Amino acid sequence: ENPDVFNGIKIGQVLKIPVIPGKNSTKEEILYSDDYMLHKVEKGQTAYSIAKKFNISVEEIYKHTPEAEKGITIGQTIKIPKKPSSETSVKDKQEGEREEDIYYYHEVKKKETLYSISKQYHISINQLIKDNPELKETGAVAGQIIKIQKLYMKQIESPELEIDTTTKIHAGKVDSVNIPDRNEAPCGQFNYIQYGKPFNIAVMLPFNLDMEDVKKEEENNDGKPYFPKGKPFLEFYEGALIAVDSLKKKGININLYVYNSYRDSASTIELLKKDELKLMDIIIGPAFSTNLKYVAEFAKAHKINVVSPFYSKKEFTVNNPYIFQVNPSLETQLQETALFFAKYKDKNIILVSLKQEAETGFLKIFKQNLLSSFAEFYKNDSLSIKEADYEKEKIKAIEEVLSPTKENVIIIPSSDQAFISDLITKLNTFSRKNKIILFGLPEWRKFENIELEYIHNLNMVTFSPYYIDYFDNNVQHFLEKYRLVYNTEPVYYGNCNYSFCGYDIMLYFLQMLMKYGRDFRFCLQQEDMLQSKYSFVRIDEFSGFENTGTYILHYDIDYSVNKIEPRNFKIEEVIFRFNENQ
């Protein structure tokens, strides 16, 4: 509504404030906004169901919205008093105390009963029903959110966690770190209700939107819109806030500290002087390696968990037990991809050699991973790999090693757009007589001059740590909420959607904190998130954790793109579809 606010707001400037019916469209709504929540009646709702939803009596609804007594209608605005009703059993609120300080919010899971919930929180069934009157009629229903008063929960002392001090000599220097014994991991010992304090979360990202960005955004860059440098990180933060909002409803309480981290290291060093940073449970960010170096050192000194969202090299993860590297390194992605190709037993595997330094290094690593993965599956067999010297003999080098009877797996390690476009066009002519499965790099997906039809004809397979299934209900729910809150669509930058990335990271690590406490690193679970698969592995006993979650993406001949799990996949699934379409 006010695009020029990106330049900063000034005294006397006029700002447009959208009028939202039911929120701020009348004088009454503005005057009573401090006393009431305003609820818009939805289809199927009654005065009784609304009263149950907000834990007030039907009489209170009629008292504050008298016209509701004659019957409520869809779209009608109902006033819900914000202050606790005198009829509820809540303990007296102290000045400045929030509702989340009084209640814990529990989401009822499948097969849970009032009895099992009462035992879990050491509270009587009578008190549960007193705080949640609807339970008297409905019982515990899966997905229902019920309130549990902290006042009535029996306090149980938790045993102290024993800490061993371990010293390791690494790269010529001695590092002392406190690491709980691996056999005495604190999983299951943490109780969030007993902990009773908010978690402290810091987000360090380069949000800066300078005047040069604003100027360029208003212009067109080669006919394409210009995206300010800070925009992806702003979207990351927007996605993270949606995750925070959803977890607040489950009872988690956090203090969120947000810092603008510029690219230069000096600004980061200055940030780390802030006293509150020593109290953090998790630091998310920063984005650049120049900043991450100092934050990693700070975190190790103060035993603070750091989530590195974007950096994909292991240099800071090694020898620092508090680092969580979300973006897998290329080497790790190749290891996971090799697990997929190692199942191509009896297939004609062709490595296209280009004799360029970058491609040669890639081929060497991939070949090593492929052979070791194959040995893992087929201990008493050997894998035959052919190499085609493309630099010397061009397309003829590939044509000579193609098999007319076997499936040909062609692996091309180049990221040269012009070369790949030309080669794929030539390979497409072979696909009419030969069965080909092409292995390409993730960068190819951004190439604009490659014929999409050819990629699918060649059954291309590639790898990526990111994949979004837009038919998934959770993805659709996130998109609906994102559009509602921000009135825009999430945008891809490179191969990643930053808003999904922010949501996944914040949701995953806050859930780990809530379940296992600050030492959650010993209890990490594998989770499929909206865009990523989190499967964190410790590099060694004294290192941090790297995410190994990698998707194999298959460009099917029916023009769909499907994700494949490398470790659970059977190659016949691709071959069958190929033969069927042939």
Side-chain angles (χ1 to χ4, degrees), residues 126-137:
N126 286 340
Q127 188 59 49
L128 277 176
I129 294 173
K130 208 170 183 182
D131 291 333
N132 305 271
E134 66 275 15
L135 294 177
K136 192 171 184 179
E137 296 181 17

Side-chain angles (χ1 to χ4, degrees), residues 106-110 112-113 117 135 140-146:
H106 174 83
E107 183 176 356
V108 179
K109 300 176 183 65
K110 286 182 179 179
E112 278 191 329
T113 63
I117 295 169
L135 294 177
V141 179
Q144 183 180 15
I145 305 294
I146 61 175

Side-chain angles (χ1 to χ4, degrees), residues 3 13 20 24 57 92 103 132 179 220 234 270 286 294 335 340 419 428 437 479 498 500 531:
Q13 183 179 3
I20 305 170
N24 65 351
S57 66
D92 291 337
Y103 287 121
N132 305 271
I179 302 178
N220 276 340
L234 179 62
E270 199 61 33
Y294 295 101
Q335 287 173 356
F340 167 78
F419 167 73
N428 185 60
I437 297 174
L479 287 171
Y498 277 59
F500 278 87
Q531 181 178 236

Side-chain angles (χ1 to χ4, degrees), residues 335-571:
Q335 287 173 356
E336 293 295 303
T337 307
L339 284 170
F340 167 78
F341 280 104
K343 296 185 180 183
Y344 278 64
K345 187 183 180 184
D346 300 327
K347 307 298 179 284
N348 187 35
I349 298 180
I350 302 169
L351 297 183
V352 179
S353 175
L354 302 169
K355 304 301 182 188
Q356 296 174 15
E357 188 176 347
E359 281 79 5
T360 303
F362 177 98
L363 275 181
K364 184 178 179 181
I365 295 172
F366 188 74
K367 189 173 180 179
Q368 289 171 348
N369 286 326
L370 191 58
L371 291 171
S372 61
S373 297
F374 184 86
E376 181 184 328
F377 291 119
Y378 309 106
K379 299 187 186 300
N380 300 318
D381 212 339
S382 60
L383 181 65
S384 175
I385 301 177
K386 297 175 182 177
E387 290 196 28
D389 188 346
Y390 194 89
E391 187 155 337
K392 185 177 180 180
E393 300 182 35
K394 305 304 177 187
I395 194 66
K396 187 180 177 182
I398 299 175
E399 189 175 9
E400 286 180 348
V401 292
L402 282 174
S403 170
T405 56
K406 292 182 178 181
E407 288 84 8
N408 297 279
V409 179
I410 302 177
I411 299 169
I412 306 173
S414 175
S415 56
D416 184 319
Q417 184 170 177
F419 167 73
I420 291 300
S421 177
D422 179 62
L423 183 54
I424 284 178
T425 303
K426 292 173 181 175
L427 288 176
N428 185 60
T429 61
F430 295 150
S431 68
R432 297 166 192 165
K433 295 181 180 180
N434 303 90
K435 298 174 182 178
I436 295 176
I437 297 174
L438 176 66
F439 172 58
L441 301 185
E443 299 97 290
W444 294 11
R445 295 189 292 158
K446 295 183 286 185
F447 292 172
E448 296 178 358
N449 59 349
I450 292 180
E451 286 289 341
L452 193 62
E453 179 185 355
Y454 297 167
I455 284 179
H456 287 276
N457 284 347
L458 293 166
N459 281 278
M460 191 180 91
V461 171
T462 187
F463 60 93
S464 175
Y466 307 111
Y467 174 81
I468 300 174
D469 178 4
Y470 286 96
F471 293 102
D472 181 81
N473 288 334
N474 292 326
V475 169
Q476 291 178 1
H477 178 72
F478 171 81
L479 287 171
E480 287 171 6
K481 187 153 190 180
Y482 191 90
R483 290 163 185 153
L484 181 67
V485 175
Y486 302 115
N487 197 32
T488 188
E489 291 288 320
V491 177
Y492 269 97
Y493 301 93
N495 292 326
C496 170
N497 190 306
Y498 277 59
S499 54
F500 278 87
C501 187
Y503 178 87
D504 284 351
I505 286 174
M506 187 66 81
L507 189 74
Y508 179 82
F509 285 98
L510 285 187
Q511 285 178 334
M512 292 298 103
L513 264 180
M514 192 174 181
K515 194 169 184 180
Y516 301 114
R518 188 169 177 159
D519 288 324
F520 62 83
R521 62 187 180 280
F522 299 102
C523 319
L524 294 170
Q525 299 172 342
Q526 181 173 308
E527 294 282 351
D528 285 315
M529 310 304 289
L530 296 188
Q531 181 178 236
S532 304
K533 179 175 67 177
Y534 289 162
S535 180
F536 287 93
V537 173
R538 204 166 189 182
I539 299 171
D540 61 45
E541 190 179 358
F542 297 90
S543 75
F545 298 80
E546 181 189 13
N547 179 27
T548 62
T550 303
Y551 295 115
I552 304 298
L553 304 181
H554 172 224
Y555 286 69
D556 207 331
I557 205 161
D558 66 359
Y559 292 97
S560 64
V561 180
N562 305 303
K563 69 175 179 179
I564 299 168
E565 295 291 344
R567 295 176 181 270
N568 305 323
F569 178 70
K570 295 180 181 177
I571 186 58

Side-chain angles (χ1 to χ4, degrees), residues 46-52 54 56-69 72 78-81:
T46 64
Y48 177 72
S49 67
I50 294 170
K52 284 207 303 179
F54 293 101
I56 60 175
S57 66
V58 174
E59 288 70 28
E60 283 182 288
I61 288 181
Y62 295 155
K63 176 182 175 183
H64 299 291
T65 313
E67 62 272 21
E69 199 163 359
I72 62 175
I78 304 292
K79 294 176 187 172
I80 309 296

Side-chain angles (χ1 to χ4, degrees), residues 213-225:
D213 282 330
V214 174
K215 183 180 176 183
K216 285 183 179 179
E217 190 174 24
E218 292 172 353
E219 300 170 355
N220 276 340
N221 185 16
D222 295 330
K224 299 174 186 175

